[in-house]
Amino acid sequence: MRFEEARHREGASALARLGDLADRYRRVRAFSERLSRPLAVEDQVIQSMPDASPTKWHLAHTSWFFETFVLSAADPGYRSPHPLYGYLFNSYYEAAGERHCRPRRGVLSRPTVEEVREYRRHVDRHLLALLDRAADGEAPEWAPGVELGLHHEQQHQELILTDIKHAFQANPLRPAYASGSSPLTPFPLPAGERGLPGERGLSGWISYPAALREVGHDGSGFAFDNESPRHHAFVGAFSLASRPVTNREWLAFMADGGYTRPQLWLSEGWKTVGAQGWDAPLYWEQKDGEWWTMTLSGMRAVDLEEPVCHVSYYEADAYAQWAGARLPTEAEWEVAAEDCPVAGNFVESGAFHPRPATDDGSTPLRQMFGDVWEWTRSAYLPYPGYRPFAGALGEYNGKFMCNQFVLRGGSCATSRTHVRRTYRNFFPPDARWQFSGVRLAK
Amino acid sequence: MRFEEARHREGASALARLGDLADRYRRVRAFSERLSRPLAVEDQVIQSMPDASPTKWHLAHTSWFFETFVLSAADPGYRSPHPLYGYLFNSYYEAAGERHCRPRRGVLSRPTVEEVREYRRHVDRHLLALLDRAADGEAPEWAPGVELGLHHEQQHQELILTDIKHAFQANPLRPAYASGSSPLTPFPLPAGERGLPGERGLSGWISYPAALREVGHDGSGFAFDNESPRHHAFVGAFSLASRPVTNREWLAFMADGGYTRPQLWLSEGWKTVGAQGWDAPLYWEQKDGEWWTMTLSGMRAVDLEEPVCHVSYYEADAYAQWAGARLPTEAEWEVAAEDCPVAGNFVESGAFHPRPATDDGSTPLRQMFGDVWEWTRSAYLPYPGYRPFAGALGEYNGKFMCNQFVLRGGSCATSRTHVRRTYRNFFPPDARWQFSGVRLAK
Amino acid sequence: MRFEEARHREGASALARLGDLADRYRRVRAFSERLSRPLAVEDQVIQSMPDASPTKWHLAHTSWFFETFVLSAADPGYRSPHPLYGYLFNSYYEAAGERHCRPRRGVLSRPTVEEVREYRRHVDRHLLALLDRAADGEAPEWAPGVELGLHHEQQHQELILTDIKHAFQANPLRPAYASGSSPLTPFPLPAGERGLPGERGLSGWISYPAALREVGHDGSGFAFDNESPRHHAFVGAFSLASRPVTNREWLAFMADGGYTRPQLWLSEGWKTVGAQGWDAPLYWEQKDGEWWTMTLSGMRAVDLEEPVCHVSYYEADAYAQWAGARLPTEAEWEVAAEDCPVAGNFVESGAFHPRPATDDGSTPLRQMFGDVWEWTRSAYLPYPGYRPFAGALGEYNGKFMCNQFVLRGGSCATSRTHVRRTYRNFFPPDARWQFSGVRLAK
Amino acid sequence: MRFEEARHREGASALARLGDLADRYRRVRAFSERLSRPLAVEDQVIQSMPDASPTKWHLAHTSWFFETFVLSAADPGYRSPHPLYGYLFNSYYEAAGERHCRPRRGVLSRPTVEEVREYRRHVDRHLLALLDRAADGEAPEWAPGVELGLHHEQQHQELILTDIKHAFQANPLRPAYASGSSPLTPFPLPAGERGLPGERGLSGWISYPAALREVGHDGSGFAFDNESPRHHAFVGAFSLASRPVTNREWLAFMADGGYTRPQLWLSEGWKTVGAQGWDAPLYWEQKDGEWWTMTLSGMRAVDLEEPVCHVSYYEADAYAQWAGARLPTEAEWEVAAEDCPVAGNFVESGAFHPRPATDDGSTPLRQMFGDVWEWTRSAYLPYPGYRPFAGALGEYNGKFMCNQFVLRGGSCATSRTHVRRTYRNFFPPDARWQFSGVRLAK
């Protein structure tokens, strides 16, 4: 649903849904708090690279979003707790004014974690009051902004997890995010399943005939602007792997010189391999001849049956070259996903890590949703007829349509209520700190 | 025509065409020499940025290409004049071994210009002898390599011009490449046409209906691997501007704050504007309130009716935003080009600069070919079913399919015999030193 | 006193002084804690530039120093609380093994502030027990290491203040370190003294005749290795300014184009002015046409009578050029300091900021000690006959004798018991974040 | 002799010396031409690093020096051949206006080599005419400028050699500057002397008693401003090695882990070793287990008895640490040089490379002059009472007195008529491309 059209269309139904919106607001906001609970105050301040942000910055920025795009517009009496919060917690909205330099978010000790929590409570009080007042009158035009703000906050919940994972790996002490004492149950790996020598089953190929298809979001329910409009696309015959590439398969790629043969790589990818010294997925470490990986629950031996994770587009593409296959286009992925339920290993499982595929017979394609984001070979570009959200929110997605690739399907750090079949995630081809994996096509 | 298939298919006809090939070899090689003739020895040594190369490097590298991909394979007795030439003049072929660092090509004073010319003569002697010997026997399997080498050399002929233009601008003395004494006639701008206040005619829109189309090269005659295979694509209804954007229109964009309003720009584009201090197309300079531009024939006042040139994808996209339009996709461009003759202001005109559109009534679309390369909004990606050339030549195109955009149609620095309707040129979105311009779509 | 000689010479007297040493140990260690008390947990984690370190790193590193250079040698049963603390808290001692990358100290959230405090208590328990046991027996050879460790900790106490000042300035909220509620009394600026238009008295010149002098430390009491040996130096006739340059004088320099005239500057200095955009001392900001400065007690209008502070060697040298004078050599400074009591505005005053000179008639030279470190024109080089401390501690001072300049006299952030007439502080010529000022000579 | 005093003092005698000056002008200028003769046009254009300059730039800049500091002042009718030559060929004189960016000197193909030669002839004509006219009248006040210009040109003659050596090493073809056909006789290494296993004699130590000395230039004859004034310095007792460190000794240092033991190095030096990957002097290469070195006459096996050359201050200091010695101060060097004739292996020998010491019994100290510049442990700082040349020429030396070290004695690339006992050369501690070596002291 496009944001600006939404303002009008929502009308009648929105009113009825305001109560539901307030409930969801409370749930989503509380989940952010819950995610930060296992962290020490010190953990919430640090920034391990320019692309990542401190936890407390995420907690504040998502509040700033409601403040800026809902409260400031809807409530003339609203005042931010501090006149500089707008400067500190604007991420990239040029239309919302100057902002603090992104790579320097980790040098801000103030506001403190407690002051940020107070900021959240301040915004919550005003926003819930606003929703409460609106319940008596006409459908408010700011309601879609609340909806957008919740999806926005869910995106940052995923980043809270990926960013703290990156930060913890920068520390030789290798702190664990989730432990036994965590309120979120850690990933219970089935006994006897680690590093089994036997293969649990080859990936199969599922075939799809050539056809003129429709892809993109049809306007029923929430979607980001970049998923619209729904449009025709000719999709040639293709086959999709029945499950993502596993660590076992990735180790075979590595053993076959995957990271040392330039012929397999895109030119920019090969440069990155050299400059960054890549020889395995991010977070993998070799100890005594065995590969270990850092997870949010601490260091673990690499599980051979898990989907490979934390690989870049460059690596995904090189792997596909090596395997004599290719990555799917996003249209192919979307066509195939039509028959798959939006279910899987999402953040709610508390695993915070991809799990091996299980064959429950329910669908030929396994793990299309959850576990790992799947790189497509589609550059992140506007759909035919794309129009960005109106106003400052037009900067939400459109201005990043350059030098990025689309990922599909969500990961173990994504909320189940956040993802869709038409959902287009995007990252530059060298990004590895997201839970990103590979599904082959041919 | 795909290179490896070509080896077989060429068979019968190739033999008959060998004589023609030798003729074309002589002509193309001679044109490289001709292009370097107006240059001093000193001019041919320098390198003004990592993306550009010295003239003498282009002259040597194109010879190395024939040596490596034809002579070394076809003539066991062939010896390069120097065992290190392979190291010095390999551009980016990993499979062809180690090579000299690209940004350091300008620190190589040796081989001298004269030694490079001798290298060229050495290669020419052997290659023409090879062609001569082959004329008596069976169709040789290396013949497609000669064909490819000629198209490769034509690409570098264009780079000789764009690179020396960049180098000359780095010199405050602003040397001119083409002057009255040049063997190539300089661009004779019609008298009284510079900076006319009146507009010479608005651009119109040519409309095309939605349809399932075929795009890509069909295999008849030479084409690069990246143009194949010909495949179906659904192209929605669209309109294309009847001519490229002119300097007059670009000045209106600038006057309206085009370079100062972040809302018009892609995020990466806006960063580049700031980092590079862009406020006009490359080679424009303001003197006494008037805009001048450096051309290969020296400094000139900006001609309002010429197509704007030396703009990046970022600028092209921002302009389109400002104009309420967009850039075409490469499929749209190719569909529209079907009715246009491959004719226009190419390098053979000796102008070395785009010319104002003329309405000769022959076609509703003007300047589709020649004058300026036209940025499309299509990322440079493999066509469905794409297979690179076999062997080391597989690195020719495929490994660059990342973070680049496609340009179409050729420029005033392109050879007429080099370009095609299906031709896909590609550059990163911040590149400006090619003769690149803008045609709008909607 | 040289460290290794000290081990033998200390002998008899050391035993008697062990009780005193334990007392001083407790006092110095407690002062570090006291300095960190006004800080939030968040403040103690951040690092605003590679040259600065987080508060908790300073607190841990100084403990590591005792652990590594005393406890590990003297107490075979001693165990560090964590096997990686040695890696995390080694600053630059190659002989003590690998260490964490300096510019990445601010990405370490663990150990937490509380864990660092526990580390300090752990070291304190063991070190005080060691001192206690030693009181019964022979003079221990590790006692000079304790002495050195205390002076080392005092150096880091000064850095705690200068580093947090730098970090706070990186935050647009401009937090204040010391406020009314601080246990350390903030600087009480006398009423009516801010920005007085009248000058409080010109600086005079004190003259010294040419003579063959002795400079350097004579071995009585503690000194760093770089202050020895005492040696002859011919010091020509010179005059020294009776007080440091004031903000009033600095503003005159600025008003006269001080930061815009390359003729006044060293070549490297002028490059730095351009690259860093310097136009005033560090921490100065212009608001409504008036100059303000950030202090550890918050923002304040620049006090005209205070010594100028937070200027680099480059600025100090340019100012001297402008004033028709020069900076003193360290030998000149030391000769002049012979008659001055080691007294002044040190960290114990709780001002954390330089104060205006007062003329109490006690000495012709004012503010030689405390307030601001004074740049000399002497490069930081070894004295004739210099020998570094033995073993790993040889890295303490000697390996930095390159591309740095000597500063003398201590500052408002230095402990009174830390500085000496022969004390040689040193920083690179572009460093500004120390409390560094200027005294002229001619 | 200080430049401004010179203007008055020269008076009477200058007139008599003008004829001599014209002779020397012709000789020095001709020698620059002679040095460029073995070079191809291409060689004279390239720049291999920011610190080095193209040959043709040196040839033009030295002419610009006479133009700017003599002709423009002395001859109101003088015109430069091109209004932009001042911009292109000003090196670093802020007072002489804006200038071309130093690291981009290698992108200037124009003026061509021949145009630069014409520039030189233009300046020569006018300057010799000026000298000729002046011979009839009063002593001209610009005469010291001519004198300075000649010494300046001799400095650039040395740079022509060191810079082209660096440029040639950047080329895998390893061109040789001087060959058999060169007008300058190449270095004839005595037969049978390469890599002799036997040692040709240990270096001895020459001792000097402590004394109050006078150092610096006394004003008789030409000297740069930085050599004045002559002043007292107390120089403690010291010993100086009888000859520079040889390659044989350097190989022992390398074999003993010289480049791998951080304890031997200054902190900045050790960082540079790591960042630059130093494991031997510049221009050394290992082939088949043997060390070779690039010389201006081509590649050669390292001669064990030659003074080690092309080492930085960092390396010189580390070597001295390893040898249990130290580098001399510049005062010590100057005291010792008092008894040595200014004679040795200078550029006039045509060797362009240091030679092994020979013991001709004439002096206990060998090779104090020529062969290699000798690093001292003295930072390059002003002498007490230093005053720079007046006007723009004040930038000649004074503004570089920061982060550099003094070298003494001249090298095989220095003109014999250029160097003096009081001559202070200076380079940053990481510079290696000069002919710089090591003499130990203790």
Side-chain angles (χ1 to χ4, degrees), chain B residues 42-43 48 104 109-110 113, chain D residues 42-43 48 109-110 113:
Chain B
E42 289 89 340
D43 300 332
S48 54
R104 303 279 289 166
S109 57
R110 316 285 180 96
V113 168
Chain D
E42 289 89 340
D43 300 330
S48 54
S109 58
R110 316 285 180 96
V113 168

Side-chain angles (χ1 to χ4, degrees), chain B residues 117-238:
Chain B
R117 288 193 200 284
E118 175 50 36
Y119 180 28
R120 289 181 68 83
R121 289 190 291 264
H122 176 88
V123 167
D124 288 352
R125 274 193 303 273
H126 285 84
L127 203 115
L128 288 168
L130 187 72
L131 284 169
D132 197 47
R133 285 197 302 276
D136 302 330
E138 222 173 299
E141 65 174 340
W142 44 258
V146 178
E147 180 87 48
L148 181 63
L150 294 178
H151 287 272
H152 172 258
E153 182 137 357
Q154 289 183 313
Q155 291 181 310
H156 282 276
Q157 287 166 358
E158 179 151 3
L159 292 172
I160 284 174
L161 291 170
T162 56
D163 292 0
I164 201 67
K165 186 171 183 176
H166 193 271
F168 278 169
Q169 206 230 3
N171 191 328
L173 300 175
R174 296 282 185 276
Y177 167 77
S179 65
S181 63
S182 158
L184 293 155
T185 318
F187 178 33
L189 191 70
E193 295 220 330
R194 294 178 197 223
L196 285 179
E199 179 119 15
R200 202 187 300 181
L202 281 167
S203 169
W205 294 100
I206 318 298
S207 295
Y208 301 82
L212 190 63
R213 307 276 191 172
E214 276 194 294
V215 293
H217 196 260
D218 64 4
S220 60
F222 176 84
F224 287 113
D225 56 3
N226 61 14
E227 302 170 47
S228 292
R230 191 158 173 86
H231 60 283
H232 283 97
F234 180 81
V235 180
F238 69 100

Side-chain angles (χ1 to χ4, degrees), chain A residues 151-229:
Chain A
H151 287 272
H152 172 259
E153 182 136 358
Q154 288 183 314
Q155 292 181 309
H156 282 275
Q157 287 166 358
E158 180 152 2
L159 291 172
I160 285 174
L161 291 170
T162 57
D163 291 1
I164 200 68
K165 186 170 183 176
H166 193 271
F168 278 169
Q169 206 230 3
N171 192 328
L173 299 175
R174 296 280 185 277
Y177 168 77
S179 65
S181 62
S182 158
L184 292 155
T185 318
F187 177 34
L189 191 71
E193 297 220 330
R194 294 178 197 223
L196 283 180
E199 180 120 14
R200 203 186 301 179
L202 283 167
S203 169
W205 294 101
I206 318 298
S207 295
Y208 301 83
L212 190 62
R213 307 276 190 172
E214 276 193 296
V215 292
H217 196 259
D218 65 4
S220 61
F222 176 85
F224 287 113
D225 55 3
N226 61 15
E227 302 170 48
S228 291

Side-chain angles (χ1 to χ4, degrees), chain A residues 345-426:
Chain A
N345 174 20
F346 288 114
V347 69
E348 290 84 356
S349 77
F352 308 131
H353 202 72
R355 282 172 171 159
T358 54
D359 190 355
D360 64 358
S362 63
T363 164
L365 283 174
R366 284 168 284 163
Q367 297 177 295
M368 285 288 278
F369 292 97
D371 287 308
V372 291
W373 287 101
E374 302 179 9
W375 284 108
T376 74
R377 84 185 309 174
S378 297
Y380 177 53
L381 291 171
Y383 280 166
Y386 165 69
R387 276 188 303 151
F389 291 143
L393 287 169
E395 299 183 48
Y396 199 106
N397 279 310
K399 74 179 182 184
F400 302 109
M401 290 177 172
C402 175
N403 294 1
Q404 313 220 34
F405 282 85
V406 172
L407 303 100
R408 292 292 193 125
S411 81
C412 57
T414 314
S415 282
R416 186 185 47 77
T417 57
H418 180 64
V419 87
R420 281 169 302 283
R421 285 183 189 82
T422 58
Y423 194 103
R424 308 173 78 197
N425 199 358
F426 51 91

Side-chain angles (χ1 to χ4, degrees), chain A residues 19-29 147 150-151:
Chain A
D20 171 55
L21 195 55
D23 281 353
R24 280 168 50 225
Y25 180 88
R26 281 190 197 90
R27 275 202 304 278
V28 169
R29 296 282 285 173
E147 179 87 46
L150 293 178
H151 287 272

